[in-house]
Amino acid sequence: MRVVSMEEQGRKNPFQERFERLRSRRWELSRTSARERVEKLKKLKRAVVERREALYQAIHADFRKPAAEVETSEMLLVLLELDHAIKHLAKWMKPRKAGTPVLLAGTRSEVRYEAKGVVLIIAPWNYPFQLTISPLIAAVAAGNCVMLKPSEKTPHTAAFIAQLIRDVFDPSEVTVVEGGAQESQALLELPFDHFFFTGGPKVGRKVMEAAAKHLAGVTLELGGKSPAVVDEHADVKAAAERIAFGKFLNGGQTCVAPDYVLVHASKEEEFLAKVRETLERFYGRTEEARKATPDFCRMVDDAQFARVNGLLERTVASGVRVVTGGVVDATSRYISPTVLADVKPEAPIMEEEIFGPVLPVLRYQQLDEAVRHIRAGTKPLAMYIFSQDKRAVDRLVSETSAGGTCVNTTVVHLTNADLPFGGIGESGVGNYHGEYGFRTFSHERAVLRQGPIAFLQTFFPPYTDKAKKMQRMATRLFE
């Protein structure tokens, strides 16, 4: 059934007034200096640091995320992004000189970075603070006005963000909209200059459709089934620890989490044993201890719990081996850290991105099998390779496609602000972080300046024999 827009219904968009308020400041903010923008980022940084404890409490109230994980995966990443932008923004904003071809002798060219205007950022629930504020930093650095939409699935964090933004920014520069799908739909009907969305492919397509309607820019940070490959030359102990960390961080609710492991048959049992040992060290030696630990968070809501639990139940019923875990508690939305072995590509757990604390392990005999399996799926947001064999690593990188790749570690590539972070195909469109984020929210404007000496008139009509000769000579330079 087609969704009828508010315009078709003859009703005013509830966010039209806020949008117009942002648009009224659009040109003023686009002309601000690096110093002015840096001051805003510094003010945001001070406010974030001052409210650290309140942020811990908000995210814990939403899905029992441990304060230590809030510190490293939310607070630290935002502070790194702020620090990087504050340090480098003046350089990013400088016009970049461009070369001059011989036929344009007498001209000089440059690329200038101008704000796109009024941008919309729709954030997800899994890292509700970091994935809202990090793109905001890039948008503000680029001189835009911003409308922020935090996720309704983490209401305590959304309220925290709304208050933070009110205290730091003028509402005509940055404003927050709280609410759910209805509010998001209303926002998508407004003519933003750029749409930035982090979430799943289903909603991502709707965002891209809205951007196309307004011929606006779009950045989609999505997800996918990110593989980890452990070959016969891997340091298995290190692989087990780093994969377990990346997988079970945030209760498995991480867009770049290793979704499944392809392990060489000769290393399978050693890998499974090391993962089990690692989980006992991380969260407790018994299921009771793991359920009681304060270091493991919960599924964000009943729908997320039911989806992941359903995948787990169907997969176990299909005959896979539960190496560890498999314990659930619906009342607290708890799914224990779970590792599955003897998993086949057609198992239910392989049907979609898991986005929960369940790690399927598939064995392979030859590297060709691993390459074919990865190619058969959609392009993932991340890929992880564990090997001490450079040729195997190079082959996996060159013969597959992924948004980003780590060798002998997981997830930490997104902490490097000098690297682009983004997907490809179903895992996303565009990228950000550091200067890449600044460019995402900027228009690269070509500017050419003609000097007093110009050869352009050589190409003006009327096309005399002399003019034709000169034109032919110019063409021959490039034959």
Side-chain angles (χ1 to χ4, degrees), residues 269 272-273 275-276 320-325 338-342 361:
E269 290 307 318
L272 293 172
V275 171
R276 185 169 55 246
V320 305
R321 175 163 47 115
V322 179
V323 177
T324 187
T338 300
V339 179
L340 305 176
D342 303 327
V361 178

Side-chain angles (χ1 to χ4, degrees), residues 55 63 141 217 231 242 258 286 292 297 300 388 405 411 465:
L55 179 62
F63 57 112
D231 80 355
R242 295 164 193 175
T286 65
C297 72
V300 72
Q388 302 301 317
T405 297
V411 307
D465 289 343

Side-chain angles (χ1 to χ4, degrees), residues 188-374:
L188 292 178
E189 293 178 10
L190 294 170
F192 289 96
D193 298 295
H194 193 88
F195 293 75
F196 188 105
F197 170 76
T198 304
K202 182 179 179 181
V203 179
R205 289 183 174 88
K206 294 181 180 179
V207 175
M208 181 170 267
E209 183 180 348
K213 178 181 177 182
H214 303 297
L215 294 178
V218 61
T219 303
L220 304 177
E221 298 298 335
L222 306 177
K225 295 189 74 64
S226 297
V229 179
V230 180
D231 80 355
E232 67 266 43
H233 305 291
D235 179 335
V236 176
K237 181 177 184 295
E241 290 177 340
R242 295 164 193 175
I243 289 172
F245 168 74
K247 176 62 179 183
F248 299 104
L249 174 72
N250 210 47
Q253 298 164 117
T254 302
C255 58
V256 292
D259 195 84
Y260 63 95
V261 179
L262 290 163
V263 61
H264 191 271
S266 66
K267 299 292 184 181
E268 181 183 18
E269 290 307 318
E270 181 185 0
F271 176 77
L272 293 172
K274 294 298 183 184
V275 171
R276 185 169 55 246
E277 291 172 12
T278 299
L279 292 177
E280 290 176 358
R281 190 169 73 252
F282 281 4
Y283 305 115
R285 296 187 62 83
T286 65
E287 287 295 345
E288 292 76 13
R290 288 193 278 275
K291 186 176 181 183
T293 181
D295 297 329
F296 187 72
C297 72
R298 300 300 188 253
M299 297 292 95
V300 72
D301 61 13
D302 291 340
Q304 174 74 350
F305 171 86
R307 186 188 64 80
V308 176
N309 186 43
L311 285 174
L312 177 59
E313 287 181 340
R314 289 196 292 127
T315 303
V316 171
S318 72
V320 305
R321 175 163 47 115
V322 179
V323 177
T324 187
V327 176
V328 303
D329 177 20
T331 58
S332 61
R333 304 196 303 271
Y334 171 76
I335 298 176
S336 66
T338 300
V339 179
L340 305 176
D342 303 327
V343 179
K344 299 292 190 293
E346 61 273 15
I349 202 72
M350 299 300 293
E351 293 173 357
E352 61 184 79
E353 182 180 8
I354 300 166
F355 226 66
V358 182
L359 181 66
V361 178
L362 293 76
R363 75 177 68 90
Y364 72 91
Q365 298 286 348
Q366 301 293 330
L367 198 58
D368 287 346
E369 297 173 50
V371 170
R372 285 196 300 269
H373 179 90
I374 294 167

Side-chain angles (χ1 to χ4, degrees), residues 160-203:
F160 172 89
I161 291 170
Q163 187 60 56
L164 173 73
I165 297 304
R166 281 194 294 269
D167 293 344
V168 173
F169 295 98
D170 186 285
S172 63
E173 297 179 13
V174 182
T175 189
V176 175
V177 170
E178 296 179 75
Q182 185 176 349
E183 285 73 18
S184 293
Q185 179 59 42
L187 289 171
L188 292 178
E189 293 178 10
L190 294 170
F192 289 96
D193 298 295
H194 193 88
F195 293 75
F196 188 105
F197 170 76
T198 304
K202 182 179 179 181
V203 179

Side-chain angles (χ1 to χ4, degrees), residues 459-473:
F459 300 95
F460 291 171
Y463 301 122
T464 63
D465 289 343
K466 181 179 179 181
K468 292 176 183 177
K469 183 178 179 181
M470 293 292 290
Q471 291 163 0
R472 185 63 185 270
M473 287 175 62

Side-chain angles (χ1 to χ4, degrees), residues 23 151 185 194 248 360 363 385 427 432 454:
R23 190 149 64 175
S151 174
Q185 179 59 42
H194 193 88
F248 299 104
R363 75 177 68 90
I385 303 168
S427 62
Y432 72 121

